[in-house]
Amino acid sequence: MLAQLITSFIASAGFGIIFNAPRASLLQCGISGMLGWMVYILLYETLTPVSASLIATVIVGGVSQIFARMYKTPVIIFSVAGIIPLVPGGLAYNAMRKFVENNYTVAMELAAQAAMISGAIALGLVLSEVLNQMIRRVIK
């Protein structure tokens, strides 16, 4: 698990570099991705991959909101880098490979799962923003 956390940190920070995030925010980009992956791994065994991705993305969104306020930078810097470990790239690749191999039944199953995980990631980011707005209204 430690190796996965370190790898997810490096991947998130690396994508922060690719997306031209400020150098001062690369540590936080890595932390948001690492936390999201940790939550995903912990929930993966008890929940479905879609549910685990949704909850992990809500955590990434919440952490991104906190970092954005603390460091006075846009939320998107931390949230985009933070969701990178959760993106189902391998699943989408396998779906395309099965299409090429004319194994359409398995390809459709994999593509549907990749689409549901992608939708859960998008929903998780929106949900974290809505929760943030609700909390801010209650505090005011």
Side-chain angles (χ1 to χ4, degrees):
M1 176 136 171
L2 182 61
Q4 288 187 16
L5 293 178
I6 292 169
T7 305
S8 62
F9 177 89
I10 292 169
S12 296
F15 270 89
I17 292 169
I18 290 171
F19 295 142
N20 291 325
R23 285 186 183 196
S25 66
L26 292 179
L27 177 68
Q28 292 82 18
C29 289
I31 290 171
S32 67
M34 185 178 66
L35 287 175
W37 187 250
M38 183 177 65
V39 170
Y40 177 79
I41 289 297
L42 291 174
L43 296 177
Y44 183 79
E45 293 181 15
T46 57
L47 300 174
T48 64
V50 175
S51 301
S53 295
L54 176 69
I55 295 169
T57 306
V58 170
I59 298 298
V60 168
V63 169
S64 298
Q65 296 282 343
I66 292 167
F67 284 156
R69 277 208 195 90
M70 285 174 60
Y71 299 102
K72 296 182 182 6
T73 56
V75 176
I76 197 162
I77 290 173
F78 306 112
S79 62
V80 170
I83 63 168
I84 290 300
L86 302 173
V87 172
L91 201 58
Y93 170 79
N94 287 332
M96 287 297 117
R97 195 180 85 210
K98 294 298 179 184
F99 272 119
V100 170
E101 294 173 352
N102 294 328
N103 192 349
Y104 298 117
T105 305
V106 175
M108 287 304 293
E109 289 176 14
L110 293 172
Q113 189 175 9
M116 288 190 299
I117 291 172
S118 299
I121 290 170
L123 182 64
L125 288 174
V126 170
L127 187 59
S128 69
E129 179 63 33
V130 169
L131 290 172
N132 178 47
Q133 300 257 341
M134 289 173 55
I135 290 169
R136 288 174 63 185
R137 285 186 186 174
V138 168
I139 290 174
K140 284 185 181 181

